[in-house]
């Protein structure tokens, strides 16, 4: 842990430090429904520390003895400029690249935290809780909605279309920047579509963004 460094798809390093990973919960209505959660009135934000990041292609190591570890496949946005109380056009100029992430979640721990009204960090911020793919430069992706998928052992598990987001990417990041300054190298996770479930030892996960990024990993 602790040796994570952003990379571009071609393997070259992105010379920006990862400071924090700002995440949104329940950004797809059908995912909120599958966990019997209400759709929030304003974006439900939380942060994973930089120590949660790992390269997604390394075998995934799950915490032991804390119940189910769920995968949540999410579009990741790499921030390239500082953003504080940003406008939509400032956010657009600050998006350096897109990648894919797993928002790994200790689901049983999270359920008990939710019941008590406690913060989610114990369920969301552990070492290794944010496997990240390499990034694709923003200008290499078509404008418009982005599609991504997760297959486990060859079976389709999750299909995401950014057009289904309750808070679309640019207004979401603008809103985040009213709460926390985003710095170059920070990453925004944009929420998971439906189809989340537990990781099981020996599984192979294949993630794809449009037809430009494909990564594969296994569960230890
Ligand atoms: Zn998530």
């Amino acid at each position: 842990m602790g040796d994570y460094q952003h990379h571009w798809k071609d393997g070259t390093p992105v010379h920006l430090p990862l400071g924090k990973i700002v995440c949104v919960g329940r950004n797809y209505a059908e995912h909120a429904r599958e966990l019997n959660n209400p759709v929030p009135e304003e974006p439900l934000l939380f942060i994973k520390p930089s120590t949660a990041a790992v390269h997604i292609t390394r075998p995934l190591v799950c915490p032991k003895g804390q119940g189910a570890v769920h995968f949540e496949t999410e579009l990741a946005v790499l921030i390239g400029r500082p953003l504080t109380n940003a406008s939509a056009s400032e956010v657009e100029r600050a998006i350096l690249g897109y990648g894919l992430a797993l928002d790994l979640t200790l689901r049983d721990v999270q359920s008990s935290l939710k019941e008590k009204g406690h913060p989610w960090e114990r369920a969301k911020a552990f070492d290794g809780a944010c496997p990240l793919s390499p990034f694709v430069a923003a200008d290499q992706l078509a404008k418009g909605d982005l599609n991504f998928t997760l297959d486990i052992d060859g079976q389709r598990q999750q299909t995401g279309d950014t057009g289904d987001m309750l808070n679309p990417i640019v207004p979401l990041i603008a809103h985040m920047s009213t709460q926390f300054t985003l710095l170059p190298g920070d990453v925004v996770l944009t929420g998971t579509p439906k189809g989340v479930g537990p990781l099981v030892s020996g599984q192979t996960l294949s993630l794809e963004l449009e037809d430009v990024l494909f990564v594969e990993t296994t569960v230890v």
Side-chain angles (χ1 to χ4, degrees), residues 122-137:
R122 287 173 184 275
K124 293 276 198 183
F126 56 90
D127 289 1
C130 193
L132 284 169
S133 79
F135 289 91
V136 176

Side-chain angles (χ1 to χ4, degrees), residues 24 46 72 74 103 124 191-192:
V24 59
F46 59 97
E72 299 188 353
E74 309 199 1
D103 168 15
K124 293 276 198 183
T192 186

Side-chain angles (χ1 to χ4, degrees), residues 98-126:
Y98 294 97
L100 292 169
L102 293 171
D103 168 15
L104 295 186
T105 304
L106 287 163
R107 190 68 75 200
D108 300 323
V109 172
Q110 186 194 31
S111 298
S112 98
L113 293 169
K114 267 196 225 162
E115 267 169 34
K116 294 181 211 156
H118 287 182
W120 292 1
E121 277 81 357
R122 287 173 184 275
K124 293 276 198 183
F126 56 90

